[in-house]
Amino acid sequence: METQKFSVEWRDTDFLCVGGGIAGLMAAINAAEQGMDCVVLEKADTRRSGSGGLGNDHFICYIPEVHGDYATFISDIMKLQNGDRLRQMGPEWAKSFFMKTWDIVRLWDEWGISMKHDGGYYFAGHAVPGRTRAFLKYNGIDQKPILTKQARKRGVKIHNRAMGYELLLDDQGRAAGVFAIDTREYKAYVYRAKAVCLGTGAPNGVFPNANRGAWAMRTNPLNLTGDGRAMAYRAGAELCNMEMPGLHAGVKYFCRNGQATWEGVLRDRDGVPIGPFLEKPDPLYGDITMEVNKRHIESYTKSARSPVYMDMTGLSREQLDLMEHWLRQEGNSTLLRHFRQEGIDMIDTAVEFSTYVLKLPISSGIVFNGGSETCVPGLYAAGDEGYGGISGAAVTGWWAADSARAYAADKSLADAGQLRPKAEECLNLAEELCAREDGAHWLEARMAMENIAWDYCGDLRSHAMLEAGLAHLRRVHARARETLRAENPHELMYCLGMLNLFELAETMFLMADERRESRGQHRRVDYPLQNLMLDGKRHFIRKNGGEAVMSWR
């Protein structure tokens, strides 16, 4: 086997943002405004990459002139699907977060992301009828190009088509740089930085896709492989709640986000509502049934009672046109184009919905404090970690820059000799994967991992299944490390992403086995009850001396 040689380029910066999503761009904008030299490292292109790349239409926020008393506002919000995520972050974090969202709304509107509708703030969706509406409808289809423009305007260097793979620590265990590979050329980069922010999004693909054969038919992009979480874990940072899967629902056979954008009523085949919240469409609230119980639609279809449909009957043409506008802002233009091509008019045609398969949720991931600081000095986390979502990404990214600026003020770049051994180890791996004349394709490894995750750590779990599945997972992971082959730099990105997914899947198995209770979508047949003593606690995992160590607090 003749090794495929990579050219290596060393680069320096004050603040390196790995991941050019909402969090990375907001962190970079704030850091640059405070005088820091800043680089955004993005495996795709910041203008359309990540979960927010195609757009969004909901931004959870607190606007004093609209919501009034904060105590009433937060009391209502804690009763909805965001409540659990906010509880795990704590009341002080939640209040600081919501107070900051008002600043972000005004900034985005000033930059050209229209946060108003018909001249005012319009809140709708994700709400119980009669209760507080906290999700601001906004025009987010071009949010990423606009944020990219704002970053460049402030002198931020955007390094697209480069995947950050390994966090580099100095001799004192501080985050001091990142090893990255070019996704188009046989090139590697070693970035030295005074501080690093990880904002690479939640992993997409530990569990199999609901639409078999359609690899990219998922709620988030296929290349989101949790790289930041894997990098943080290998560097000794804590992850939390990796065993707690999430569920989503939406149009059957067209997995996309945006369930709250639909303004109809969920009904069975006979037209009977499947939930208690709405009898007729209400654009201000939508049918929250599938948020109260993510498996409710699935219970209808798996028991063969009836398909479930989103029925817009009762909406006026003007209301339906506005709903379609918000769907486009959310990134559902392809679906709407298909409806037009097929002559489907939703004013008199219901759309079948389904519950999608399990996924690792945004409410798990890298642990950070109110300043987006992790337990690794100089390392910050933002985006779909902890709380997540668009507004969560915007706020935590902003906070990460504030903390990094204070931290880096008296720091110097690490000596290159301290970073070289780990960088060379990563370079050898990249060259080895590209030099193999024969080997496994990354999709083979992905299919194997997803099948193991679903069969042994899926809907129902037990110690016996988790222990057996973990053994299979580790064996296939080792085989993937030995045999994966990348035909080109683009495939190398997916191969390295697969190795990251294997590590994250292992944390899921380990933590699922230690959580001896049933809670949410984590359902143990050998521990069917919820352990009330774990209420309000988070489950943590970190590497210590190469071994996984778990704790509760």
Side-chain angles (χ1 to χ4, degrees), residues 6-12 41 157 159 162 168 178-182 185-192 420 423 427:
F6 279 60
S7 63
V8 181
E9 183 177 335
W10 285 69
R11 296 183 177 184
D12 296 341
L41 196 62
K157 303 176 186 71
H159 189 172
L168 305 177
V178 165
F179 175 86
I181 58 103
D182 197 292
E185 303 178 60
Y186 291 102
K187 295 177 65 174
Y189 306 92
V190 182
Y191 272 98
R192 293 194 301 169
R420 198 177 303 279
L427 179 64

PDB file of all heavy atoms in Angstrom, residues 6-12 41 157 159 162 168 178-182 185-192 420 423 427:
ATOM      1  N   PHE A   6      -0.347  13.909   2.045  1.00  0.00           N
ATOM      2  CA  PHE A   6      -1.070  15.169   2.161  1.00  0.00           C
ATOM      3  C   PHE A   6      -0.070  16.303   2.356  1.00  0.00           C
ATOM      4  O   PHE A   6       0.935  16.136   3.062  1.00  0.00           O
ATOM      5  CB  PHE A   6      -1.999  15.152   3.383  1.00  0.00           C
ATOM      6  CG  PHE A   6      -3.312  14.440   3.180  1.00  0.00           C
ATOM      7  CD1 PHE A   6      -3.341  13.090   2.847  1.00  0.00           C
ATOM      8  CD2 PHE A   6      -4.506  15.101   3.354  1.00  0.00           C
ATOM      9  CE1 PHE A   6      -4.542  12.430   2.682  1.00  0.00           C
ATOM     10  CE2 PHE A   6      -5.716  14.456   3.191  1.00  0.00           C
ATOM     11  CZ  PHE A   6      -5.736  13.111   2.855  1.00  0.00           C
ATOM     12  N   SER A   7      -0.337  17.447   1.777  1.00  0.00           N
ATOM     13  CA  SER A   7       0.411  18.636   2.157  1.00  0.00           C
ATOM     14  C   SER A   7      -0.168  19.144   3.475  1.00  0.00           C
ATOM     15  O   SER A   7      -1.356  18.960   3.755  1.00  0.00           O
ATOM     16  CB  SER A   7       0.306  19.716   1.084  1.00  0.00           C
ATOM     17  OG  SER A   7      -1.028  20.145   0.935  1.00  0.00           O
ATOM     18  N   VAL A   8       0.653  19.751   4.288  1.00  0.00           N
ATOM     19  CA  VAL A   8       0.220  20.217   5.609  1.00  0.00           C
ATOM     20  C   VAL A   8       0.526  21.705   5.743  1.00  0.00           C
ATOM     21  O   VAL A   8       1.643  22.149   5.460  1.00  0.00           O
ATOM     22  CB  VAL A   8       0.919  19.449   6.745  1.00  0.00           C
ATOM     23  CG1 VAL A   8       0.424  19.945   8.106  1.00  0.00           C
ATOM     24  CG2 VAL A   8       0.674  17.944   6.610  1.00  0.00           C
ATOM     25  N   GLU A   9      -0.490  22.450   6.167  1.00  0.00           N
ATOM     26  CA  GLU A   9      -0.316  23.892   6.340  1.00  0.00           C
ATOM     27  C   GLU A   9      -0.674  24.270   7.776  1.00  0.00           C
ATOM     28  O   GLU A   9      -1.752  23.912   8.269  1.00  0.00           O
ATOM     29  CB  GLU A   9      -1.214  24.643   5.360  1.00  0.00           C
ATOM     30  CG  GLU A   9      -1.058  26.151   5.399  1.00  0.00           C
ATOM     31  CD  GLU A   9      -1.920  26.852   4.361  1.00  0.00           C
ATOM     32  OE1 GLU A   9      -2.251  26.201   3.338  1.00  0.00           O
ATOM     33  OE2 GLU A   9      -2.266  28.031   4.575  1.00  0.00           O
ATOM     34  N   TRP A  10       0.225  24.988   8.433  1.00  0.00           N
ATOM     35  CA  TRP A  10      -0.026  25.468   9.792  1.00  0.00           C
ATOM     36  C   TRP A  10      -0.582  26.886   9.707  1.00  0.00           C
ATOM     37  O   TRP A  10      -0.094  27.723   8.949  1.00  0.00           O
ATOM     38  CB  TRP A  10       1.262  25.464  10.614  1.00  0.00           C
ATOM     39  CG  TRP A  10       1.681  24.079  11.038  1.00  0.00           C
ATOM     40  CD1 TRP A  10       2.140  23.081  10.230  1.00  0.00           C
ATOM     41  CD2 TRP A  10       1.669  23.558  12.361  1.00  0.00           C
ATOM     42  NE1 TRP A  10       2.415  21.950  10.964  1.00  0.00           N
ATOM     43  CE2 TRP A  10       2.139  22.222  12.290  1.00  0.00           C
ATOM     44  CE3 TRP A  10       1.325  24.071  13.610  1.00  0.00           C
ATOM     45  CZ2 TRP A  10       2.271  21.406  13.400  1.00  0.00           C
ATOM     46  CZ3 TRP A  10       1.451  23.261  14.734  1.00  0.00           C
ATOM     47  CH2 TRP A  10       1.906  21.944  14.629  1.00  0.00           C
ATOM     48  N   ARG A  11      -1.621  27.155  10.487  1.00  0.00           N
ATOM     49  CA  ARG A  11      -2.231  28.482  10.517  1.00  0.00           C
ATOM     50  C   ARG A  11      -2.486  28.893  11.971  1.00  0.00           C
ATOM     51  O   ARG A  11      -2.730  28.042  12.833  1.00  0.00           O
ATOM     52  CB  ARG A  11      -3.544  28.502   9.737  1.00  0.00           C
ATOM     53  CG  ARG A  11      -3.385  28.223   8.247  1.00  0.00           C
ATOM     54  CD  ARG A  11      -4.713  28.325   7.516  1.00  0.00           C
ATOM     55  NE  ARG A  11      -4.576  28.125   6.077  1.00  0.00           N
ATOM     56  CZ  ARG A  11      -5.583  28.238   5.217  1.00  0.00           C
ATOM     57  NH1 ARG A  11      -6.805  28.529   5.642  1.00  0.00           N
ATOM     58  NH2 ARG A  11      -5.369  28.038   3.920  1.00  0.00           N
ATOM     59  N   ASP A  12      -2.472  30.187  12.209  1.00  0.00           N
ATOM     60  CA  ASP A  12      -2.659  30.715  13.560  1.00  0.00           C
ATOM     61  C   ASP A  12      -3.847  31.670  13.611  1.00  0.00           C
ATOM     62  O   ASP A  12      -4.124  32.398  12.641  1.00  0.00           O
ATOM     63  CB  ASP A  12      -1.409  31.469  14.032  1.00  0.00           C
ATOM     64  CG  ASP A  12      -0.186  30.573  14.150  1.00  0.00           C
ATOM     65  OD1 ASP A  12      -0.368  29.340  14.216  1.00  0.00           O
ATOM     66  OD2 ASP A  12       0.939  31.106  14.186  1.00  0.00           O
ATOM     67  N   LEU A  41     -14.262  27.424  10.725  1.00  0.00           N
ATOM     68  CA  LEU A  41     -13.891  26.213   9.996  1.00  0.00           C
ATOM     69  C   LEU A  41     -15.166  25.426   9.705  1.00  0.00           C
ATOM     70  O   LEU A  41     -15.875  25.022  10.627  1.00  0.00           O
ATOM     71  CB  LEU A  41     -12.932  25.387  10.865  1.00  0.00           C
ATOM     72  CG  LEU A  41     -12.097  24.283  10.237  1.00  0.00           C
ATOM     73  CD1 LEU A  41     -11.156  24.841   9.185  1.00  0.00           C
ATOM     74  CD2 LEU A  41     -11.301  23.570  11.332  1.00  0.00           C
ATOM     75  N   LYS A 157     -12.383  35.267   8.966  1.00  0.00           N
ATOM     76  CA  LYS A 157     -11.916  34.423   7.861  1.00  0.00           C
ATOM     77  C   LYS A 157     -12.784  33.165   7.825  1.00  0.00           C
ATOM     78  O   LYS A 157     -12.827  32.410   8.795  1.00  0.00           O
ATOM     79  CB  LYS A 157     -10.447  34.062   8.055  1.00  0.00           C
ATOM     80  CG  LYS A 157      -9.520  35.273   8.184  1.00  0.00           C
ATOM     81  CD  LYS A 157      -8.098  34.820   8.478  1.00  0.00           C
ATOM     82  CE  LYS A 157      -7.194  36.006   8.757  1.00  0.00           C
ATOM     83  NZ  LYS A 157      -7.499  36.657  10.068  1.00  0.00           N
ATOM     84  N   HIS A 159     -13.259  29.594   6.417  1.00  0.00           N
ATOM     85  CA  HIS A 159     -12.525  28.507   5.769  1.00  0.00           C
ATOM     86  C   HIS A 159     -13.522  27.388   5.482  1.00  0.00           C
ATOM     87  O   HIS A 159     -13.763  26.497   6.303  1.00  0.00           O
ATOM     88  CB  HIS A 159     -11.399  28.005   6.673  1.00  0.00           C
ATOM     89  CG  HIS A 159     -10.476  27.037   6.004  1.00  0.00           C
ATOM     90  ND1 HIS A 159      -9.308  26.588   6.576  1.00  0.00           N
ATOM     91  CD2 HIS A 159     -10.542  26.417   4.795  1.00  0.00           C
ATOM     92  CE1 HIS A 159      -8.707  25.746   5.760  1.00  0.00           C
ATOM     93  NE2 HIS A 159      -9.454  25.619   4.675  1.00  0.00           N
ATOM     94  N   ALA A 162     -13.477  22.474   4.847  1.00  0.00           N
ATOM     95  CA  ALA A 162     -12.416  21.956   5.718  1.00  0.00           C
ATOM     96  C   ALA A 162     -13.073  21.388   6.971  1.00  0.00           C
ATOM     97  O   ALA A 162     -13.811  22.090   7.666  1.00  0.00           O
ATOM     98  CB  ALA A 162     -11.419  23.039   6.083  1.00  0.00           C
ATOM     99  N   LEU A 168      -6.583  19.716  19.566  1.00  0.00           N
ATOM    100  CA  LEU A 168      -5.186  19.620  19.968  1.00  0.00           C
ATOM    101  C   LEU A 168      -4.997  20.334  21.302  1.00  0.00           C
ATOM    102  O   LEU A 168      -5.372  21.512  21.443  1.00  0.00           O
ATOM    103  CB  LEU A 168      -4.282  20.235  18.897  1.00  0.00           C
ATOM    104  CG  LEU A 168      -4.457  19.675  17.477  1.00  0.00           C
ATOM    105  CD1 LEU A 168      -3.567  20.414  16.493  1.00  0.00           C
ATOM    106  CD2 LEU A 168      -4.167  18.172  17.448  1.00  0.00           C
ATOM    107  N   VAL A 178      -6.635  22.793  16.429  1.00  0.00           N
ATOM    108  CA  VAL A 178      -7.464  21.764  15.800  1.00  0.00           C
ATOM    109  C   VAL A 178      -6.747  21.237  14.559  1.00  0.00           C
ATOM    110  O   VAL A 178      -6.151  22.015  13.799  1.00  0.00           O
ATOM    111  CB  VAL A 178      -8.847  22.335  15.409  1.00  0.00           C
ATOM    112  CG1 VAL A 178      -9.573  21.422  14.434  1.00  0.00           C
ATOM    113  CG2 VAL A 178      -9.696  22.568  16.659  1.00  0.00           C
ATOM    114  N   PHE A 179      -6.832  19.927  14.367  1.00  0.00           N
ATOM    115  CA  PHE A 179      -6.376  19.300  13.115  1.00  0.00           C
ATOM    116  C   PHE A 179      -7.572  19.200  12.180  1.00  0.00           C
ATOM    117  O   PHE A 179      -8.659  18.754  12.583  1.00  0.00           O
ATOM    118  CB  PHE A 179      -5.798  17.910  13.375  1.00  0.00           C
ATOM    119  CG  PHE A 179      -5.431  17.167  12.114  1.00  0.00           C
ATOM    120  CD1 PHE A 179      -4.194  17.345  11.522  1.00  0.00           C
ATOM    121  CD2 PHE A 179      -6.330  16.304  11.498  1.00  0.00           C
ATOM    122  CE1 PHE A 179      -3.844  16.684  10.348  1.00  0.00           C
ATOM    123  CE2 PHE A 179      -6.011  15.630  10.330  1.00  0.00           C
ATOM    124  CZ  PHE A 179      -4.754  15.822   9.759  1.00  0.00           C
ATOM    125  N   ALA A 180      -7.384  19.605  10.927  1.00  0.00           N
ATOM    126  CA  ALA A 180      -8.478  19.610   9.953  1.00  0.00           C
ATOM    127  C   ALA A 180      -8.001  19.062   8.621  1.00  0.00           C
ATOM    128  O   ALA A 180      -6.812  19.106   8.305  1.00  0.00           O
ATOM    129  CB  ALA A 180      -9.016  21.031   9.763  1.00  0.00           C
ATOM    130  N   ILE A 181      -8.954  18.538   7.845  1.00  0.00           N
ATOM    131  CA  ILE A 181      -8.635  18.049   6.494  1.00  0.00           C
ATOM    132  C   ILE A 181      -9.476  18.799   5.467  1.00  0.00           C
ATOM    133  O   ILE A 181     -10.620  19.177   5.737  1.00  0.00           O
ATOM    134  CB  ILE A 181      -8.846  16.524   6.363  1.00  0.00           C
ATOM    135  CG1 ILE A 181     -10.297  16.121   6.710  1.00  0.00           C
ATOM    136  CG2 ILE A 181      -7.854  15.770   7.233  1.00  0.00           C
ATOM    137  CD1 ILE A 181     -11.170  15.818   5.542  1.00  0.00           C
ATOM    138  N   ASP A 182      -8.894  19.028   4.322  1.00  0.00           N
ATOM    139  CA  ASP A 182      -9.609  19.631   3.208  1.00  0.00           C
ATOM    140  C   ASP A 182     -10.538  18.586   2.611  1.00  0.00           C
ATOM    141  O   ASP A 182     -10.168  17.416   2.493  1.00  0.00           O
ATOM    142  CB  ASP A 182      -8.613  20.135   2.156  1.00  0.00           C
ATOM    143  CG  ASP A 182      -9.226  21.121   1.182  1.00  0.00           C
ATOM    144  OD1 ASP A 182     -10.084  20.696   0.386  1.00  0.00           O
ATOM    145  OD2 ASP A 182      -8.841  22.295   1.225  1.00  0.00           O
ATOM    146  N   GLU A 185      -9.213  18.593  -1.597  1.00  0.00           N
ATOM    147  CA  GLU A 185      -7.832  18.345  -1.978  1.00  0.00           C
ATOM    148  C   GLU A 185      -7.132  17.528  -0.906  1.00  0.00           C
ATOM    149  O   GLU A 185      -7.593  17.460   0.237  1.00  0.00           O
ATOM    150  CB  GLU A 185      -7.086  19.671  -2.181  1.00  0.00           C
ATOM    151  CG  GLU A 185      -7.703  20.602  -3.215  1.00  0.00           C
ATOM    152  CD  GLU A 185      -6.928  21.902  -3.301  1.00  0.00           C
ATOM    153  OE1 GLU A 185      -5.723  21.848  -3.611  1.00  0.00           O
ATOM    154  OE2 GLU A 185      -7.514  22.962  -3.025  1.00  0.00           O
ATOM    155  N   TYR A 186      -6.003  16.922  -1.289  1.00  0.00           N
ATOM    156  CA  TYR A 186      -5.229  16.146  -0.318  1.00  0.00           C
ATOM    157  C   TYR A 186      -4.367  17.112   0.498  1.00  0.00           C
ATOM    158  O   TYR A 186      -3.151  17.179   0.364  1.00  0.00           O
ATOM    159  CB  TYR A 186      -4.370  15.105  -1.041  1.00  0.00           C
ATOM    160  CG  TYR A 186      -5.196  13.993  -1.663  1.00  0.00           C
ATOM    161  CD1 TYR A 186      -5.456  13.988  -3.038  1.00  0.00           C
ATOM    162  CD2 TYR A 186      -5.741  12.978  -0.890  1.00  0.00           C
ATOM    163  CE1 TYR A 186      -6.228  12.991  -3.617  1.00  0.00           C
ATOM    164  CE2 TYR A 186      -6.516  11.968  -1.460  1.00  0.00           C
ATOM    165  CZ  TYR A 186      -6.749  11.992  -2.817  1.00  0.00           C
ATOM    166  OH  TYR A 186      -7.521  10.997  -3.386  1.00  0.00           O
ATOM    167  N   LYS A 187      -5.064  17.847   1.357  1.00  0.00           N
ATOM    168  CA  LYS A 187      -4.415  18.840   2.192  1.00  0.00           C
ATOM    169  C   LYS A 187      -4.913  18.709   3.624  1.00  0.00           C
ATOM    170  O   LYS A 187      -6.080  18.358   3.858  1.00  0.00           O
ATOM    171  CB  LYS A 187      -4.712  20.265   1.691  1.00  0.00           C
ATOM    172  CG  LYS A 187      -4.138  20.596   0.325  1.00  0.00           C
ATOM    173  CD  LYS A 187      -4.541  22.003  -0.114  1.00  0.00           C
ATOM    174  CE  LYS A 187      -3.934  23.062   0.796  1.00  0.00           C
ATOM    175  NZ  LYS A 187      -4.216  24.436   0.282  1.00  0.00           N
ATOM    176  N   ALA A 188      -4.032  18.999   4.569  1.00  0.00           N
ATOM    177  CA  ALA A 188      -4.398  19.032   5.980  1.00  0.00           C
ATOM    178  C   ALA A 188      -3.988  20.382   6.553  1.00  0.00           C
ATOM    179  O   ALA A 188      -3.077  21.044   6.039  1.00  0.00           O
ATOM    180  CB  ALA A 188      -3.722  17.898   6.744  1.00  0.00           C
ATOM    181  N   TYR A 189      -4.668  20.776   7.610  1.00  0.00           N
ATOM    182  CA  TYR A 189      -4.385  22.051   8.260  1.00  0.00           C
ATOM    183  C   TYR A 189      -4.220  21.814   9.755  1.00  0.00           C
ATOM    184  O   TYR A 189      -4.978  21.035  10.362  1.00  0.00           O
ATOM    185  CB  TYR A 189      -5.524  23.045   8.035  1.00  0.00           C
ATOM    186  CG  TYR A 189      -5.876  23.255   6.585  1.00  0.00           C
ATOM    187  CD1 TYR A 189      -6.867  22.482   5.974  1.00  0.00           C
ATOM    188  CD2 TYR A 189      -5.216  24.213   5.814  1.00  0.00           C
ATOM    189  CE1 TYR A 189      -7.190  22.655   4.639  1.00  0.00           C
ATOM    190  CE2 TYR A 189      -5.531  24.388   4.471  1.00  0.00           C
ATOM    191  CZ  TYR A 189      -6.518  23.614   3.893  1.00  0.00           C
ATOM    192  OH  TYR A 189      -6.835  23.785   2.555  1.00  0.00           O
ATOM    193  N   VAL A 190      -3.252  22.471  10.327  1.00  0.00           N
ATOM    194  CA  VAL A 190      -3.092  22.466  11.773  1.00  0.00           C
ATOM    195  C   VAL A 190      -3.285  23.906  12.234  1.00  0.00           C
ATOM    196  O   VAL A 190      -2.451  24.778  11.951  1.00  0.00           O
ATOM    197  CB  VAL A 190      -1.709  21.938  12.209  1.00  0.00           C
ATOM    198  CG1 VAL A 190      -1.630  21.925  13.730  1.00  0.00           C
ATOM    199  CG2 VAL A 190      -1.464  20.539  11.649  1.00  0.00           C
ATOM    200  N   TYR A 191      -4.389  24.135  12.894  1.00  0.00           N
ATOM    201  CA  TYR A 191      -4.690  25.472  13.402  1.00  0.00           C
ATOM    202  C   TYR A 191      -4.232  25.588  14.857  1.00  0.00           C
ATOM    203  O   TYR A 191      -4.596  24.762  15.702  1.00  0.00           O
ATOM    204  CB  TYR A 191      -6.194  25.744  13.338  1.00  0.00           C
ATOM    205  CG  TYR A 191      -6.656  26.331  12.035  1.00  0.00           C
ATOM    206  CD1 TYR A 191      -7.212  25.529  11.044  1.00  0.00           C
ATOM    207  CD2 TYR A 191      -6.555  27.700  11.798  1.00  0.00           C
ATOM    208  CE1 TYR A 191      -7.659  26.068   9.846  1.00  0.00           C
ATOM    209  CE2 TYR A 191      -6.998  28.255  10.603  1.00  0.00           C
ATOM    210  CZ  TYR A 191      -7.544  27.439   9.633  1.00  0.00           C
ATOM    211  OH  TYR A 191      -7.989  27.985   8.443  1.00  0.00           O
ATOM    212  N   ARG A 192      -3.438  26.596  15.124  1.00  0.00           N
ATOM    213  CA  ARG A 192      -3.152  26.967  16.506  1.00  0.00           C
ATOM    214  C   ARG A 192      -4.100  28.107  16.890  1.00  0.00           C
ATOM    215  O   ARG A 192      -4.318  29.032  16.109  1.00  0.00           O
ATOM    216  CB  ARG A 192      -1.709  27.431  16.674  1.00  0.00           C
ATOM    217  CG  ARG A 192      -0.678  26.335  16.475  1.00  0.00           C
ATOM    218  CD  ARG A 192       0.692  26.775  16.977  1.00  0.00           C
ATOM    219  NE  ARG A 192       1.176  27.983  16.296  1.00  0.00           N
ATOM    220  CZ  ARG A 192       2.237  28.687  16.690  1.00  0.00           C
ATOM    221  NH1 ARG A 192       2.905  28.315  17.779  1.00  0.00           N
ATOM    222  NH2 ARG A 192       2.622  29.757  16.014  1.00  0.00           N
ATOM    223  N   ARG A 420       2.341  18.919  17.666  1.00  0.00           N
ATOM    224  CA  ARG A 420       2.768  18.127  16.518  1.00  0.00           C
ATOM    225  C   ARG A 420       2.480  16.625  16.652  1.00  0.00           C
ATOM    226  O   ARG A 420       2.016  15.998  15.683  1.00  0.00           O
ATOM    227  CB  ARG A 420       4.248  18.368  16.247  1.00  0.00           C
ATOM    228  CG  ARG A 420       4.679  17.941  14.836  1.00  0.00           C
ATOM    229  CD  ARG A 420       6.151  18.275  14.597  1.00  0.00           C
ATOM    230  NE  ARG A 420       6.435  19.684  14.782  1.00  0.00           N
ATOM    231  CZ  ARG A 420       6.204  20.616  13.889  1.00  0.00           C
ATOM    232  NH1 ARG A 420       5.659  20.294  12.718  1.00  0.00           N
ATOM    233  NH2 ARG A 420       6.506  21.877  14.131  1.00  0.00           N
ATOM    234  N   ALA A 423      -1.159  15.905  15.934  1.00  0.00           N
ATOM    235  CA  ALA A 423      -1.438  16.283  14.545  1.00  0.00           C
ATOM    236  C   ALA A 423      -0.884  15.238  13.580  1.00  0.00           C
ATOM    237  O   ALA A 423      -1.536  14.871  12.595  1.00  0.00           O
ATOM    238  CB  ALA A 423      -0.852  17.659  14.242  1.00  0.00           C
ATOM    239  N   LEU A 427      -2.794  12.919  10.864  1.00  0.00           N
ATOM    240  CA  LEU A 427      -2.352  12.931   9.469  1.00  0.00           C
ATOM    241  C   LEU A 427      -2.113  11.515   8.971  1.00  0.00           C
ATOM    242  O   LEU A 427      -2.502  11.151   7.851  1.00  0.00           O
ATOM    243  CB  LEU A 427      -1.081  13.765   9.336  1.00  0.00           C
ATOM    244  CG  LEU A 427      -0.482  13.853   7.927  1.00  0.00           C
ATOM    245  CD1 LEU A 427      -1.439  14.552   6.974  1.00  0.00           C
ATOM    246  CD2 LEU A 427       0.865  14.580   7.976  1.00  0.00           C
TER     247      LEU A 427
END
